[in-house]
Amino acid sequence: EIVLTQSPATLSLSPGERATLSCRASQSVGSFLGWYQQKPGQPPRLLIYDASNRATGIPARFSGSGSGTDFTLTISSLEPEDFAVYYCQQRSNWVTFGGGTKVEIK
Amino acid sequence: QLQLQASGPGLVKPSETLSLTCTLSDFISSRSDYWVWIRQPPGKGLEWIASIHYRGNTYHNPSLKSRVTISVDTSKNQFSLKLSSVTAADTAFYYCARSRDGYNSFFDSWGQGTLVTVSS
């Protein structure tokens, strides 16, 4: 099983700041990595697929990068609605998710 | 826009079988789409359970495979999950979702989720 480790567990930032979230895989997943946003009481929403492609309707402030074992989700300037939990997911070998990073208001 | 709605009992006794159904607002018979169950214990992370194609091809999380049955009913645009021999560890929000272009692609449409509690 491919284990995805997300860091940090919690990120405390202010609106307008840049957020950088990390996802590290226990073995290479190529570019088969995606990112989701989840708000309380809601299902996850797909943000990024195949490491760097924005899903339909996702604002340009969200960007993904990386390949192999190290990936990054960047939110260029946090909007109030961006404070949420973010998960990475790999599809290289079955499906696994990372443990999540909570982006909270500082 | 595709909508998915999971339904089923919210309370299941230990050792019994959890049964859930997901109803789609559109036809389930898409050539490339797979239909997926994912769960999330309250306050915890996500776990993929299984995927099914409308033609019946199935894929299961190896850690749950022995207890999981996933099926599809194309006449009703529904797919279903059965999880046997449940314990408290199976208490979770259960989501149904769509996986485009393969059983393990990315999940671009999700239902709201239904909480299933395992308790006597």
Side-chain angles (χ1 to χ4, degrees), chain B residues 75-97:
Chain B
S75 68
K76 296 181 180 178
N77 293 315
Q78 294 178 335
F79 64 105
S80 298
L81 173 72
K82 292 187 185 299
L83 180 66
S84 64
S85 304
V86 297
T87 70
D90 295 310
T91 293
F93 289 92
Y94 285 77
Y95 295 100
C96 52

Side-chain angles (χ1 to χ4, degrees), chain A residues 1-4 26-27 90 93-97, chain B residues 61-63:
Chain A
E1 174 181 312
I2 296 177
V3 176
L4 299 179
S26 59
Q27 62 191 76
Q90 66 81 21
N93 184 344
W94 299 107
V95 173
T96 55
F97 292 88
Chain B
N61 185 323
S63 69

Side-chain angles (χ1 to χ4, degrees), chain A residues 7-60:
Chain A
S7 62
T10 304
L11 198 52
S12 298
L13 294 168
S14 300
E17 289 193 295
R18 182 184 188 89
T20 303
L21 288 67
S22 173
C23 178
R24 176 164 289 178
S26 59
Q27 62 191 76
S28 177
V29 299
S31 294
F32 295 136
L33 189 112
W35 292 91
Y36 297 83
Q37 176 194 69
Q38 187 177 31
K39 297 179 181 179
Q42 296 184 19
R45 175 175 70 145
L46 179 65
L47 299 175
I48 301 287
Y49 65 94
D50 290 343
S52 61
N53 297 292
R54 275 190 300 277
T56 302
I58 301 304

